Amino acid sequence: MKRYLILEDGSVFAGEGFGAPLTTTGEIVFNTGMTGYQETITDQSYNGQIITFTYPLIGNYGVNRDDYESIAPTCKGVVVHELARTASNWRNQMSLDEFLKQNHIPGITGIDTRRLTRRLRSEGTMKASIVDTADEHAFDQLNALVLPRNQVQQVSTTKPYPSPDTGHNVVVIDFGLKHSILRELSQRSCNITVMPYNTTAEQILNLHPDGVMLSNGPGDPTDVPGAVEMIQGIQGKIPLFGICLGHQLFALANDAKTYKMKFGHRGFNHPVREIATGRIDFTSQNHGFAVDPHSINNEKLLVTHTEINDGTIEGLRHRQFPAFSVQFHPDATPGPHDATHLFDEFIEMMDAFKKQPVTTY
């Protein structure tokens, strides 16, 4: 079935539809990973976005039970150059086409993803639609669309839930949580309580956790002002570790500002330098916003990591409180596992904080 990908700048790309036969609209972005399409599609940080895969062949190993990053993916569409005709892998349970149909996500194949990616790199991310007819009406509907600002609310859990174990008590704030974060904490025997995005500082403190994890998530961090207030209410009282959106919210809570990037970082090969040691880690990243380096309050925050390619701030640490954050994904699913040691640093931070004299709050 012939379908079209149309962009708000007037560009039209013709291809063949697969997945759900639906019309869809969202912000179009590109991901440079060679593998990991299942983890990418199920990553809630892509909520509301149409994902372009730059690797030319997608779907060749199917979809399996182990590589979900959320139960119900919320991306708006998938764009590929070539959809594999046959999925071949011992873990394969269904094809990508079947998976997208099952989750009501449209896809389009036969697209010149190289040309499309060059367009997005030069013009920036923009609104796009996958449609049956690339006519004036389709463009009118696309241009009239206002992208939602409540993306975190759409994907966060509405009720707390536990992931029990016998180690450190960790509260995870779900802004669009990846399952791989829970896996890393579980591998370290953490007793986890996942809480909604709008949880208050008081509710967290009442649980008496050993530490708090601020998860990844979609959208603009300034659209979640309540989370900034929550962080301000708990930092200094409990060790904090922020990832991706959690990193940006941690920065906002300490007087920094964020900005929308032209086309963001989305892939699994981004080199990051740890400033103190010079160590280089290749990292998994998925973000369209970043912390403004000119807004850093040097009395509160220390920049710990930078992206080698463009100098983006990739890590922060609080100068007075036991709290740090990274823009990339140390849980690395998919991607290199260079930075998983940061979860060990979080455990060490909680242990050190426990040894300090008890204070009341």
Side-chain angles (χ1 to χ4, degrees), residues 1 11 35 134 142 166 185 189 206 208 224 226 234 264 270 341 352:
M1 176 182 175
S11 301
T35 61
L142 173 61
T166 58
L185 292 172
S189 300
N206 286 342
H208 302 283
V224 201
I234 64 174
H270 289 266
H341 63 92

Side-chain angles (χ1 to χ4, degrees), residues 50-83:
I50 298 173
I51 307 168
T52 302
F53 289 99
T54 62
Y55 191 70
L57 180 65
I58 298 295
N60 51 310
Y61 54 85
V63 172
N64 64 72
R65 68 169 195 178
D66 299 321
D67 292 337
Y68 287 90
E69 286 302 311
S70 68
I71 295 172
T74 58
C75 67
K76 288 292 188 177
V78 172
V79 178
V80 303
H81 175 67
E82 180 181 353
L83 176 69

